[in-house]
Amino acid sequence: MRSFIGRDILSLKGWERAEFFRVFEVCDQLAPIAKNRQRSDLLKNKILLTAFYQPSTRTRLSTEAAMHRLGAACAGTPTSR
Protein backbone atom coordinates (compact mmCIF):
# COMPACT_ATOMS: atom_id res chain seq x y z
CA MET A 1 0.00 0.00 0.00
CA ARG A 2 1.29 3.45 -0.92
CA SER A 3 1.54 6.11 1.77
CA PHE A 4 -1.01 8.92 1.90
CA ILE A 5 1.67 11.37 3.04
CA GLY A 6 2.05 14.18 0.53
CA ARG A 7 -0.65 12.83 -1.79
CA ASP A 8 -3.41 15.04 -3.16
CA ILE A 9 -6.39 12.77 -3.54
CA LEU A 10 -8.64 14.02 -6.29
CA SER A 11 -9.84 10.69 -7.61
CA LEU A 12 -10.24 7.14 -6.33
CA LYS A 13 -9.18 5.65 -9.64
CA GLY A 14 -6.11 3.51 -9.24
CA TRP A 15 -6.59 2.98 -5.52
CA GLU A 16 -5.62 -0.38 -4.08
CA ARG A 17 -8.08 -2.33 -1.93
CA ALA A 18 -5.85 -1.88 1.13
CA GLU A 19 -6.00 1.91 0.72
CA PHE A 20 -9.80 1.89 0.98
CA PHE A 21 -9.66 -0.23 4.12
CA ARG A 22 -7.05 2.08 5.65
CA VAL A 23 -9.39 5.04 5.14
CA PHE A 24 -12.19 3.11 6.86
CA GLU A 25 -9.87 2.29 9.80
CA VAL A 26 -9.00 5.96 10.25
CA CYS A 27 -12.70 6.89 10.05
CA ASP A 28 -13.42 4.45 12.88
CA GLN A 29 -10.73 6.19 14.97
CA LEU A 30 -12.17 9.64 14.23
CA ALA A 31 -15.81 8.69 14.89
CA PRO A 32 -15.68 9.15 18.70
CA ILE A 33 -14.23 12.65 18.29
CA ALA A 34 -17.02 13.63 15.91
CA LYS A 35 -19.78 11.98 17.96
CA ASN A 36 -18.68 13.70 21.17
CA ARG A 37 -18.31 17.00 19.30
CA GLN A 38 -14.78 17.35 20.65
CA ARG A 39 -12.34 19.83 19.21
CA SER A 40 -9.02 18.51 17.99
CA ASP A 41 -6.05 19.73 15.97
CA LEU A 42 -5.71 16.33 14.31
CA LEU A 43 -6.18 17.84 10.85
CA LYS A 44 -4.41 21.13 11.54
CA ASN A 45 -2.89 22.69 8.40
CA LYS A 46 -4.98 20.40 6.19
CA ILE A 47 -7.51 21.54 3.63
CA LEU A 48 -10.42 19.21 2.95
CA LEU A 49 -12.85 19.49 0.08
CA THR A 50 -16.46 18.46 0.10
CA ALA A 51 -18.19 17.60 -3.14
CA PHE A 52 -21.74 16.28 -3.24
CA TYR A 53 -23.60 14.93 -6.24
CA GLN A 54 -27.01 15.82 -4.82
CA PRO A 55 -27.68 19.29 -3.37
CA SER A 56 -28.00 19.08 0.42
CA THR A 57 -27.16 22.15 2.46
CA ARG A 58 -27.76 20.28 5.73
CA THR A 59 -25.34 17.47 4.85
CA ARG A 60 -22.71 19.89 3.56
CA LEU A 61 -22.88 22.06 6.69
CA SER A 62 -22.71 19.12 9.10
CA THR A 63 -19.75 17.65 7.22
CA GLU A 64 -17.93 20.98 7.22
CA ALA A 65 -18.64 21.45 10.95
CA ALA A 66 -17.03 18.06 11.66
CA MET A 67 -14.00 19.03 9.58
CA HIS A 68 -13.60 22.28 11.52
CA ARG A 69 -13.84 20.43 14.86
CA LEU A 70 -10.85 18.37 13.74
CA GLY A 71 -8.89 21.54 12.98
CA ALA A 72 -9.06 21.45 9.17
CA ALA A 73 -9.84 24.25 6.81
CA CYS A 74 -12.67 23.38 4.46
CA ALA A 75 -13.15 24.26 0.83
CA GLY A 76 -16.69 23.18 -0.01
CA THR A 77 -18.61 23.15 -3.20
CA PRO A 78 -21.81 25.18 -2.73
CA THR A 79 -25.09 23.40 -3.22
CA SER A 80 -28.05 24.99 -4.91
CA ARG A 81 -31.54 23.94 -5.88
Side-chain angles (χ1 to χ4, degrees):
M1 180 175 74
R2 298 174 292 165
S3 173
F4 289 107
I5 296 172
R7 284 174 59 187
D8 294 325
I9 300 171
L10 302 176
S11 172
L12 301 180
K13 291 180 182 177
W15 272 41
E16 300 170 10
R17 182 179 177 92
E19 291 172 314
F20 283 104
F21 283 104
R22 179 64 184 135
V23 169
F24 297 142
E25 289 171 10
V26 172
C27 289
D28 287 341
Q29 294 170 0
L30 296 177
I33 295 170
K35 286 180 183 176
N36 295 327
R37 298 182 182 260
Q38 298 171 339
R39 295 199 67 78
S40 170
D41 65 351
L42 186 65
L43 298 177
K44 184 178 178 180
N45 299 322
K46 303 293 184 218
I47 299 173
L48 305 176
L49 172 72
T50 61
F52 295 99
Y53 293 103
Q54 298 293 325
S56 172
T57 301
R58 179 179 177 199
T59 301
R60 180 180 58 83
L61 292 175
S62 62
T63 301
E64 289 175 3
M67 291 176 180
H68 287 291
R69 279 194 300 273
L70 293 171
C74 183
T77 56
T79 58
S80 61
R81 292 193 182 250

